[in-house]
Every structure is written in structure tokens, then in C-alpha cells.
Amino acid sequence: QVQLVESGGGLVQPGGSLRLSCAASGRTSEIGGMGWFRQAPGKEREFVVGIRFRGSNTVHADSVRGRFSISRDNAKNTVYLQMNSLRPDDTAVYYCATLSPRAIVSSISSQAAYVYWGQGTQVTVSS
């Protein structure tokens, strides 16, 4: 089992920045990578950005490319989502998830490739 705890959500004005954290604990040796997803009210959960640790392959959703980035701190078993130039349509609950160690690069954006999920953290972009 792997446990994930997200933090860093909150209210931010349009154009602002926010950094989310996702700390992993438990059987971290089972983690092949990490991803961030989000779910806005009335919408389905969607992929944001993910990284496969082997090869450091990173994939971004078109809607966030150039604004959001993912990084990791191996010593802390923590992954970060840096969000810049935030827009009102970025408002959502953001979830981190662990990528299966057997995932291939083409599956990084697929929810089916993720095993453990965090509880989510709310991000609201509003003036």
C-alpha cells in the first residue's frame, strides 16, 4: 500500500501561482511515477501532468503546457505541481496518483495506469 497526502491548495487570483505538494509513504518502491489530475464541478476528472521515473518521461495536458510543471524530491518522497499563470478554468480539486511501475510512456496520461490516489486538494482561481 502507498499513502498519498496532497497539500498547498487554496484561493489565488487569476495570473497568480500556486505549488501543490504530494507526499508519498508506505511501499514507495512500488511507485513507477506520479501524476496530477483535476476535477472541476460538473466535469469528469482529467489528466494534468505526469512523470514516469524511469527515463524521466514527462507528459503535459495541452491546457497546461507551458504553465504547469512537475518536479520531485526523492529524499522526501514528494512530488510537486508548480502552477503559474493560473486561470479561472483551472479551478478544480487536484489529485495526485502513483503510476504503475509497469506503465509505458504512452499510458502516462491515462487514469487506468495509476494505482494509488490522494484525497485531493481544492484550487480556486478567482478575483
Side-chain angles (χ1 to χ4, degrees), residues 67-80:
R67 301 188 299 123
F68 291 12
S69 61
I70 188 170
S71 62
R72 56 190 285 209
D73 184 331
N74 291 338
K76 296 181 180 180
N77 286 321
T78 298
V79 171
Y80 303 97

Side-chain angles (χ1 to χ4, degrees), residues 44-125:
E44 294 185 353
R45 187 164 59 188
E46 65 175 4
F47 170 77
V48 176
V49 62
I51 181 170
R52 190 181 71 160
F53 293 158
R54 176 166 48 94
S56 295
N57 305 107
T58 304
V59 176
H60 294 78
D62 290 343
S63 59
V64 305
R65 187 174 292 112
R67 301 188 299 123
F68 291 12
S69 61
I70 188 170
S71 62
R72 56 190 285 209
D73 184 331
N74 291 338
K76 296 181 180 180
N77 286 321
T78 298
V79 171
Y80 303 97
L81 176 64
Q82 178 66 44
M83 304 184 292
N84 300 325
S85 301
L86 282 161
R87 310 185 303 220
D89 61 0
D90 293 317
T91 295
V93 177
Y94 283 71
Y95 300 89
C96 66
T98 65
L99 186 67
S100 167
R102 293 173 296 279
I104 57 177
V105 174
S106 60
S107 69
I108 292 176
S109 61
S110 171
Q111 295 190 44
Y114 292 81
V115 182
Y116 299 103
W117 293 78
Q119 81 287 353
T121 184
Q122 176 70 46
V123 172
T124 302
V125 185

